[in-house]
Amino acid sequence: MSKKIFSGVQPTGNLHLGNYLGAIKNFVELNDNNENECIFCVVDLHAITVKQNPRELKDNIRETVATFIASGIDPKKSIIFNQSKVKAHSEAAWILSCTARTGWLNRMTQFKEKAGKDKEKASVGLYSYPVLMAADILLYDSTHVPVGDDQKQHLELCRDIAQKFNNDFNVDNFFIVPEPLIQKEFSRIMSLKDGTKKMSKSELSDLSRINLTDDADLIINKIKKAKTDPLPMPSNLEELEKRPEAKNLIGIHSSLTGINLEKLINEFSGKNFSDFKENLSQVLVDKILPISKEIKKLLNDKTFLDKILTDGYEKADKAASKKIKKIHEIVGF
Ligand code: AQP
């Protein structure tokens, strides 16, 4: 069955291994299947839910496009555009915020994590972010949404919004209720400094993540410094479950090489972490370095990157304008 794929990445700088393994790697596979229609959005409206430097934001938008292309997404096959250009996203977000219930939003754990203790000072945008995400997805009749595990709850909210809108206005199947596409294993890559926290762009310490623009020396150094526990490498899956840092590092290896966990555990069982880390560094350098080099090359050609966004905008805007027109009719505008 052909799928309509939609997903977004925030242009907040430092795209990292978590973004790659949790989302972008999956985008590339979906883009390679000719039966799929794919839309990959640089979600700049989401980015400003926390303070951004306007000049850096502009550069980060281009860098996100460069990362898509360097990772293997073909702009001739997939639509790539930035969200703020297609006005229907903001408009649909407002309309859907009148469908979404505050009780639903109050349960969103990402808001609680990102707002932290000082919730009162968080932006309204950060709170209503999942409604904008629902608008992004629903505008394109998307059937499948590839995301990392951290976005699962937002996608469930999107499904609830679609169903409630269809029911409230008695328009069966007007909004397609989308399915999440989340990797079965290691869908959440954790920080290199704390195996219980997700790897994140906004984490202050650069040592907590492998950026997709890191060079070989940086990658090797970050893996060398990655937190581990004092025990030797685990010898079975049960033990791995109880050791978050070991689980994360072995999981990263497995996701990149396709070697299953048991095989990796058997190979390194009882050895020092330094042996495993050396091996993992090589795997990472082999995978990340070509992407990193390509990103840097593409960033020298701003005209090329801007053209991808303009072409993508024209296609996305056409589809989204049609849908928002129908939404107007349904709600009675
Ligand atoms: N650590 C992760 N493991 C697996 N998947 C991840 N994703 C993000 N972090 C991980 C997935 O990457 C896609 C794009 O994410 P995003 O940039 O839109 O926002 P995010 O989830 O908020 O990512 P960050 O790195 O934590 O950014 P900041 O720090 O700016 O908030 C999504 O599909 C996401 O699931």
Side-chain angles (χ1 to χ4, degrees), residues 14-23 189 192 199 209-212 223 252 256 280 284 287-288:
N14 297 326
L15 281 171
H16 53 74
L17 188 67
N19 299 127
Y20 179 75
L21 290 175
I189 303 300
L192 299 179
M199 188 178 282
R209 63 182 162 260
I210 303 286
N211 300 311
L212 296 177
I223 293 300
I252 290 172
L256 287 168
L280 176 62
L284 277 163
K287 186 70 210 177
I288 303 300

Side-chain angles (χ1 to χ4, degrees), residues 180-194:
L181 286 178
I182 298 176
Q183 322 263 54
K184 285 199 185 69
E185 286 192 285
F186 295 104
S187 51
R188 190 182 291 236
I189 303 300
M190 310 311 270
S191 158
L192 299 179
K193 290 277 140 207
D194 179 351

Side-chain angles (χ1 to χ4, degrees), residues 66-269:
T67 306
F68 285 168
I69 313 292
S71 303
I73 295 174
D74 178 356
K76 290 201 192 78
K77 276 189 179 171
S78 296
I79 297 177
I80 297 173
F81 73 105
N82 59 322
Q83 187 189 25
S84 60
K85 292 285 175 265
V86 177
K87 305 286 180 269
H89 287 251
S90 313
E91 205 180 329
W94 177 257
I95 296 169
L96 294 180
S97 72
C98 301
T99 299
R101 306 288 93 181
T102 55
W104 299 354
L105 284 173
N106 289 341
R107 287 194 278 278
M108 295 298 114
T109 53
Q110 195 184 75
F111 174 73
K112 291 179 194 156
E113 279 161 22
K114 287 201 173 175
K117 289 196 192 91
D118 219 355
K119 231 175 40 235
E120 300 278 313
K121 290 208 176 126
S123 72
V124 176
L126 189 67
Y127 178 72
S128 60
Y129 174 118
V131 181
L132 175 60
M133 178 167 156
D136 302 338
I137 296 164
L138 299 177
L139 272 175
Y140 298 96
D141 296 330
S142 318
T143 59
H144 293 82
V145 184
V147 281
D149 181 65
D150 59 314
Q151 291 294 335
K152 195 171 164 195
Q153 198 187 28
H154 290 167
L155 207 60
E156 276 158 14
L157 183 95
C158 169
R159 291 168 56 88
D160 289 343
I161 293 175
Q163 273 158 345
K164 183 165 165 52
F165 186 96
N166 290 348
N167 285 339
D168 286 354
F169 293 97
N170 210 3
V171 281
D172 265 5
N173 299 323
F174 173 70
F175 281 133
I176 308 282
V177 181
E179 297 293 332
L181 286 178
I182 298 176
Q183 322 263 54
K184 285 199 185 69
E185 286 192 285
F186 295 104
S187 51
R188 190 182 291 236
I189 303 300
M190 310 311 270
S191 158
L192 299 179
K193 290 277 140 207
D194 179 351
T196 62
K197 266 174 78 182
K198 85 164 185 157
M199 188 178 282
S200 165
K201 300 187 206 99
S202 50
E203 170 61 47
L204 282 179
S205 169
D206 195 52
L207 289 174
S208 68
R209 63 182 162 260
I210 303 286
N211 300 311
L212 296 177
T213 47
D214 284 348
D215 61 25
D217 288 347
L218 261 175
I219 293 172
I220 293 165
N221 191 36
K222 285 179 179 179
I223 293 300
K224 209 178 262 170
K225 293 202 167 138
K227 186 178 168 202
T228 49
D229 53 44
L231 301 170
M233 291 288 288
S235 52
N236 57 56
L237 280 173
E238 250 184 332
E239 200 191 328
L240 187 73
E241 275 310 311
K242 295 180 198 135
R243 297 172 57 186
E245 280 82 21
K247 186 178 171 194
N248 190 38
L249 293 179
I250 297 181
I252 290 172
H253 195 304
S254 171
S255 299
L256 287 168
T257 55
I259 302 174
N260 76 37
L261 287 181
E262 268 164 328
K263 214 170 160 201
L264 282 171
I265 291 173
N266 287 341
E267 191 180 338
F268 291 96
S269 166

